[in-house]
Amino acid sequence: MGPERNTTGFIAAMPEWRRHGLLAFTLNLQGGSPEGYSKTQPWTTPPRSAGNLRPEYRRRLERILDRADELGMAVILGLYYFGQDHRLQDEAA
């Protein structure tokens, strides 16, 4: 499975969730910890150190957000998980 296939499958499932009464879902661009709950976080989150998203992440996110809007669903969007802010190059990022 890859990111495009995952995104397409996620979007395809959204109308069914809505039919069952789901009005909101959480989406976090960092994803889960590849190590479970560890004290250090050696992995890097999707946003770049300047604070911008890679274009492919942004396109997939836009597809999900647009479909959620069409279905009248709210998205609780997370960009970073705690412990990752030190990877940003400065406060503006």
Side-chain angles (χ1 to χ4, degrees), residues 13-82:
M14 290 169 62
E16 185 67 16
W17 301 339
R18 183 66 177 92
R19 278 192 289 279
H20 285 278
L22 185 72
L23 300 176
F25 57 88
T26 301
L27 186 65
N28 194 308
L29 295 184
Q30 180 199 338
S33 167
E35 300 177 348
Y37 290 99
S38 58
K39 293 183 181 189
T40 61
Q41 297 181 19
W43 59 89
T44 301
T45 60
R48 295 178 178 167
S49 66
N52 58 334
L53 289 176
R54 290 171 40 189
E56 62 273 22
Y57 281 84
R58 185 180 179 108
R59 283 190 298 274
R60 289 190 298 268
L61 175 60
E62 286 174 348
R63 289 172 50 207
I64 293 170
L65 295 178
D66 288 347
R67 187 63 175 133
D69 188 45
E70 291 168 4
L71 294 168
M73 299 173 81
V75 180
I76 304 158
L77 180 62
L79 297 176
Y80 290 98
Y81 190 68
F82 78 92

